[in-house]
Amino acid sequence: MLDLTINWKGKMAFAGTTPSGHEIKLDAAPEVGGENTGARPTELLLQAVAGCTGMDIISILHKMRLEPSSFQIDVEGERAEEHPKRFTNINLHYALDGDLPEDKVIRAIQLSKDKYCSVSHSLSAEITVSYSINGVKGKRSI
């Protein structure tokens, strides 16, 4: 079980320390009463999805004895217009460089998406993915 506490810092700001010892600051935009002193919770949610799946993919590729020379994940999140304005679609694009066989990259992405990423499996948004290797967009659907 994970257990943490965040504390109100005034206006719309909150801060807390994660169980692993890292401080996280959250705040809202000035137009809704914040002072922009921290990340928005929704931004952190998208970053958490990307970080979780990215760590999965790197771990899986390492087990396959593959080492990307670079790896970037671009995330787009679409939100409902009505409250609670939840994410309705999250698109992840994995851009990898290196000597990486496409079938192995696809397998790593599929394993993360379908089995391992606890963050994405905690959401109800439809999550779609695409990929490119050495700047070439992948041809296969995942």
Side-chain angles (χ1 to χ4, degrees):
M1 179 185 309
L2 287 177
D3 187 17
L4 60 88
T5 302
I6 64 170
N7 296 295
W8 181 49
K9 299 298 184 180
K11 293 195 177 186
M12 299 293 281
F14 287 82
T17 303
T18 66
S20 57
H22 301 280
E23 185 179 13
I24 304 289
K25 294 180 181 181
L26 302 110
D27 200 358
E31 56 267 19
V32 293
E35 294 183 326
N36 196 32
T37 62
R40 311 298 181 265
T42 51
E43 294 170 338
L44 293 175
L45 184 63
L46 291 181
Q47 196 165 40
V49 169
C52 180
T53 187
M55 290 177 193
D56 288 342
I57 291 166
I58 288 295
S59 176
I60 293 163
L61 290 175
H62 283 167
K63 289 176 184 172
M64 295 176 178
R65 302 191 191 289
L66 296 171
E67 182 74 30
S69 57
S70 68
F71 183 16
Q72 176 177 310
I73 305 168
D74 297 316
V75 186
E76 293 177 340
E78 292 179 35
R79 295 178 66 190
E81 292 193 22
E82 299 298 320
H83 286 286
K85 298 185 180 181
R86 70 177 191 87
F87 285 107
T88 57
N89 186 295
I90 296 171
N91 181 269
L92 302 166
H93 178 81
Y94 304 101
L96 299 98
D97 288 310
D99 185 17
L100 304 167
E102 184 177 15
D103 62 326
K104 303 280 188 186
V105 171
I106 288 171
R107 181 71 179 140
I109 292 170
Q110 284 177 321
L111 284 168
S112 177
K113 181 178 183 245
D114 298 338
K115 185 174 183 180
Y116 292 113
C117 183
S118 59
V119 175
S120 65
H121 284 276
S122 298
L123 302 174
S124 62
E126 178 65 30
I127 298 176
T128 59
V129 299
S130 59
Y131 66 95
S132 58
I133 301 172
N134 298 319
V136 178
K137 185 172 171 56
K139 297 175 185 142
R140 291 179 43 195
S141 178
I142 303 173

